[in-house]
Amino acid sequence: MARFGAEPGERGSSETRTNSDGITQVYFVPKTTPEVNSPAAARLAAGVKLLEVIPSSGRLSIFPTDTRPWSDDFLGPKYSTIEKVTLPSDVDDEYWDVRDVLENLPSGFTKDVEYGLGFAHEYDWLVRLIEEHTTCIEMRFVDGGQPPAVDGETITLGLAWFGALVAELRRIKSRGDHASLRVRRAYGHNQLAEHLRVEPVRYAYGRHVDSRFIAGAALDREEVTAEVAASLVEAVSTHAAEAARVAPARMVALQRDVELANLDHLIEAYRVALDARHPEQWWQTFFEENVFALQLLFGGPTVFVDAQVAIGQGDNRPKGKKIADYLFQNSMTNNAALVEIKKPSTKLLKRRPYRAGIYGVQSEISEALTQVLDQALQLTRHEFATKSRTSRVSWATSAPRCFVVAGRASELDSDDKKKSFDLYREHLSGVQLVTYDEILEQLKNLRDFLATDRRAGSPTIS
């Protein structure tokens, strides 16, 4: 069976063929006909395969192809030695669509058949680096955070590891662009300052180490080394009391800068983790180490009680008990709050609309909501027994609050999806559903708020 895919573009279109065994192959159909008897004509006659999906195997294979009509390698492999890229795939055996498969490729991949698939152009150098130092012809991606491992002609990489790499490369580029712009704007301002009778500004290096390094390079200035930074911290720590007496305003400003730097570090770590496809257990540990991020959920004064709390009667063994991811309490009223987390990759809505303009929620979401509500019910029934297993015992079950953290709001890529999600979420009773990127946005808003007064104190170009 054959069916045609995308409409012809500047370079061509795709043709999809599925055989009786359920194997689907996508071929490139060039808009420009190769010259007779040319290597490209021979390749076209043999079939220019871009993609192969075998649903039963749970994997898909990409064959990166040079689709540039002016290239000597037209319709041949895009890279020098890497011929195939394989990835895990969870397509439905009965119904799936090539466009969906391509759209769900990880960040850093080319998702348009017209450009031959493979990796986005800005990451071609990564492929060249692998080709220069290995004899690999296949890049095999697997779930998880496995670092690159070469075995003969195959290099295996974890999708989470690659996702974190791509995310950080993009952030470095963004920070570099902003750092360069700050330097250029400050330089231009200061060149005009005397003539316009305005005050000159100082150069803003930025807070992140990459931003400072790039801004320093643009200014041809040496960046503070780790050794110098450590000495500065030691000096401040040793003479903190005297500094606070002599220059209290400067010490308050320094404390604010330290708090902002810590918040920047948390935001950066959170942002990197969102793209890394970590398992749920990793996030359990992350939030235990960064409880502040979860405290933003409550909109009131809260303190952390415990993680992995066994709720129910009996001894301290978890068997037969409900396990709550996190237990908090209101520091004023002592009312308990439970937080259940899922992964950022947890899907919020079903892929296909239930009716026109209406999407249903995924079962994993509704199950998580029911789970935390049941935990609250059991906590109320077995408060005394559960307190024997928590580090704090002043919490109370007057009206336990419930929260579920799951998925990413960026999944809601249409007005209908946003509407469906809000209709569901805002009409929940007794439990609140929050996405991972909403927590990130709250952290960023808090950082911007705290930084406002600091920026107002000394003029910079940002």
Side-chain angles (χ1 to χ4, degrees):
M1 178 179 71
R3 63 184 187 275
F4 283 87
E7 292 297 321
E10 181 182 347
R11 298 185 184 180
S13 60
S14 64
E15 177 184 302
T16 304
R17 307 170 187 171
T18 302
N19 63 24
S20 58
D21 294 326
I23 299 175
T24 297
Q25 297 174 328
V26 179
Y27 289 83
F28 180 68
V29 181
K31 187 174 181 179
T32 302
T33 303
E35 294 183 8
V36 178
N37 296 327
S38 66
R43 295 168 189 144
L44 181 59
V48 184
K49 184 165 62 174
L50 295 176
L51 181 72
E52 182 174 81
V53 181
I54 307 176
S56 60
S57 72
R59 298 194 67 81
L60 64 86
S61 299
I62 295 172
F63 304 89
T65 300
D66 188 341
T67 60
R68 301 170 298 170
W70 60 87
S71 170
D72 292 337
D73 297 318
F74 183 39
L75 304 183
K78 179 180 287 189
Y79 308 120
S80 298
T81 57
I82 296 294
E83 300 174 356
K84 182 168 71 169
V85 180
T86 60
L87 303 99
S89 173
D90 57 355
V91 298
D92 193 313
D93 285 344
E94 297 182 1
Y95 181 84
W96 62 277
D97 186 83
V98 171
R99 291 183 181 85
D100 289 338
V101 170
L102 295 177
E103 192 61 34
N104 287 322
L105 287 175
S107 179
F109 280 73
T110 294
K111 303 180 181 183
D112 192 338
V113 297
E114 190 177 351
Y115 295 96
L117 302 184
F119 298 94
H121 178 68
E122 60 263 36
Y123 306 117
D124 282 351
W125 62 271
L126 286 172
V127 181
R128 289 197 298 271
L129 183 65
I130 293 171
E131 291 179 327
E132 289 170 4
H133 297 281
T134 73
T135 58
C136 293
I137 62 174
E138 178 184 357
M139 294 180 67
R140 175 178 289 266
F141 287 87
V142 295
D143 287 321
Q146 175 181 330
V150 177
D151 182 11
E153 295 184 333
T154 301
I155 181 169
T156 302
L157 310 90
L159 281 170
W161 183 92
F162 180 74
L165 172 65
V166 169
E168 185 58 24
L169 290 174
R170 288 181 172 172
R171 281 187 287 272
I172 291 172
K173 181 181 183 304
S174 176
R175 288 191 289 263
D177 291 343
H178 287 299
S180 173
L181 178 61
R182 286 197 303 271
V183 170
R184 285 182 280 123
R185 289 182 60 190
Y187 176 81
H189 177 101
N190 292 341
Q191 291 299 305
L192 290 170
E194 180 180 353
H195 307 288
L196 300 178
R197 297 182 180 180
V198 297
E199 289 295 318
V201 297
R202 63 183 179 85
Y203 289 102
Y205 280 83
R207 297 187 181 278
H208 194 279
V209 62
D210 293 337
S211 181
R212 296 196 301 270
F213 181 84
I214 294 167
L219 288 166
D220 196 23
R221 297 179 183 176
E222 184 176 357
E223 172 69 341
V224 176
T225 64
E227 291 78 10
V228 172
S231 298
L232 291 172
V233 171
E234 180 65 25
V236 171
S237 177
T238 302
H239 303 287
E242 178 66 14
R245 184 184 66 81
V246 175
R250 295 293 299 273
M251 283 298 289
V252 170
L254 176 60
Q255 180 181 7
R256 186 164 52 224
D257 283 345
V258 171
E259 291 171 348
L260 283 170
N262 287 335
L263 188 53
D264 280 336
H265 177 75
L266 173 58
I267 290 171
E268 190 67 17
Y270 192 99
R271 185 187 289 119
V272 170
L274 277 184
D275 295 320
R277 297 184 67 172
H278 289 303
E280 189 173 314
Q281 183 56 49
W282 188 94
W283 284 101
Q284 294 273 0
T285 303
F286 177 87
F287 283 126
E288 285 181 45
E289 296 173 351
N290 301 278
V291 173
F292 173 70
L294 286 181
Q295 287 175 312
L296 294 175
L297 297 174
F298 304 107
T302 58
V303 292
F304 177 70
V305 177
D306 262 324
Q308 297 298 293
V309 178
I311 301 172
Q313 292 281 25
D315 55 28
N316 290 336
R317 290 179 298 179
K319 184 177 181 181
K321 300 179 179 67
K322 309 291 184 179
I323 306 298
D325 285 340
Y326 305 101
L327 174 62
F328 289 81
Q329 75 178 77
N330 185 296
S331 58
M332 302 296 292
T333 68
N334 296 327
N335 187 43
L338 296 171
V339 179
E340 175 72 17
I341 70 166
K342 298 300 178 184
K343 296 181 293 185
S345 59
T346 300
K347 294 299 181 183
L348 301 172
L349 301 179
K350 294 182 178 179
R351 187 174 63 174
R352 305 291 179 186
Y354 174 70
R355 291 287 189 271
I358 300 175
Y359 290 81
V361 297
Q362 290 282 358
S363 58
E364 188 173 359
I365 296 296
S366 59
E367 289 165 0
L369 297 171
T370 305
Q371 178 184 0
V372 73
L373 286 170
D374 181 57
Q375 290 170 359
L377 176 62
Q378 300 304 319
L379 187 68
T380 303
R381 290 176 175 174
H382 306 294
E383 177 178 340
F384 181 77
T386 304
K387 279 184 176 179
S388 68
R389 294 186 285 273
T390 60
S391 57
R392 303 171 67 99
V393 296
S394 56
W395 54 269
T397 57
S398 307
R401 301 180 69 190
C402 299
F403 297 84
V404 170
V405 179
R408 300 182 65 171
S410 56
E411 172 194 330
L412 310 174
D413 54 5
S414 71
D415 289 341
D416 285 338
K417 289 181 179 179
K418 293 174 183 176
K419 175 194 69 176
S420 298
F421 181 71
D422 279 335
L423 283 172
Y424 179 80
R425 178 166 70 171
E426 298 306 323
H427 288 83
L428 292 171
S429 178
V431 59
Q432 295 184 42
L433 174 59
V434 182
T435 63
Y436 274 81
D437 35 11
E438 286 176 313
I439 294 177
L440 175 61
E441 199 63 25
Q442 285 184 285
L443 289 170
K444 291 163 64 177
N445 288 341
L446 177 61
R447 187 269 314 276
D448 292 343
F449 173 78
L450 293 176
T452 299
D453 291 342
R454 188 72 183 101
R455 288 197 301 267
S458 54
T460 61
I461 292 290
S462 60

